[in-house]
Amino acid sequence: MPVHVLVPRKSKSPIPDAVAHASHFAFKEKPFLRIADGVFVACPELCFVQLACDLPFHELIKVGSALCGTFVVDSSCPNGLAKRAPITTARRIEAFIRRNPGIRGAKAARRAVKCLAENAASPPEAFLWTVMSLAQRYGGYGIPGLELNRRIAPSKKAQRLARRKTLVPDIVHASSRLSLEYDSNSEHLTPDQISRDASKRLALEADGFKVITVTLKQLSSSDEMRGVAEQSCKRMGRRFQIQSKNFRVQHRLLYACGWSLRAYRCDGFSEDDTERKA
């Protein structure tokens, strides 16, 4: 993968084997971060806007959701993921675009940033939220109010079952007491992780939550996920109905994009699909 550098005028790249990009745009504030003496990189918000110049809509959402997620691709980890704080948020990206309205890519970025999955703990978890929440005109089921990894306070009984004082459902709709739990492939889990997931689901059910488990196989199937969406709407007291004429085409594009970050990883990265939480 070549190194891309930004230069103030069209010229030969100052770095061997690097691709130079000329820009005369007068950036507001400081969109570059210093990582070494004389070496700067674009801030995450600028990266997102730059990617908006070239990536298709659904791919841009996937990458933006990774920037706003709590995971990082790390080939040294058994499941290919490590845990970290989000390096940006949708709000920060929107603020950057407002401060730099004339920057190339701003229009596409402004459209996509409203659709990002924030606080996802893995790529498939972000995809699950996107399939369920993205507006129907973009290929999702348009179910509102779903939150990723929101910490909730369970009852005393649920705390005893879970052996912890708070619970973090993968995706929750609090008012209807609905929880969507992504069930990773068991071969990627430790016995402790399996036990914690099981006790969390028991605790949620003890507090009156409807827990819908979504497996990797289900997530990979458009037909299976339609069933999950129907169950979710029933729990929420909503009528399930596809109203957008663009849904079918956009839904196919969404699934063609998928959740894999393979194109953005370094050589040697594990072939595991990085579906498990860090």
Side-chain angles (χ1 to χ4, degrees), residues 68-88:
C68 297
T70 60
F71 64 90
V72 61
V73 174
D74 186 343
S75 59
S76 67
C77 295
N79 62 354
L81 293 178
K83 188 174 181 180
R84 61 134 168 86
I87 59 175
T88 190

Side-chain angles (χ1 to χ4, degrees), residues 152-167 177 199 202-204 206-207:
I152 61 176
S155 66
K156 294 292 184 182
K157 178 182 178 181
Q159 288 180 34
R160 288 194 297 271
L161 287 170
R163 298 186 297 278
R164 67 198 98 158
K165 293 187 176 181
T166 60
L167 295 173
R177 304 187 84 74
S199 63
L202 285 173
L204 287 168
D207 271 357

Side-chain angles (χ1 to χ4, degrees), residues 86-115:
I87 59 175
T88 190
T89 64
R91 182 175 294 182
R92 286 167 58 181
I93 295 172
E94 287 178 315
F96 178 84
I97 296 172
R98 284 196 302 271
R99 292 193 299 268
N100 299 275
I103 189 173
R104 182 170 173 263
K107 183 177 180 180
R110 192 179 295 111
R111 175 179 172 231
V113 73
K114 301 180 185 300
C115 306

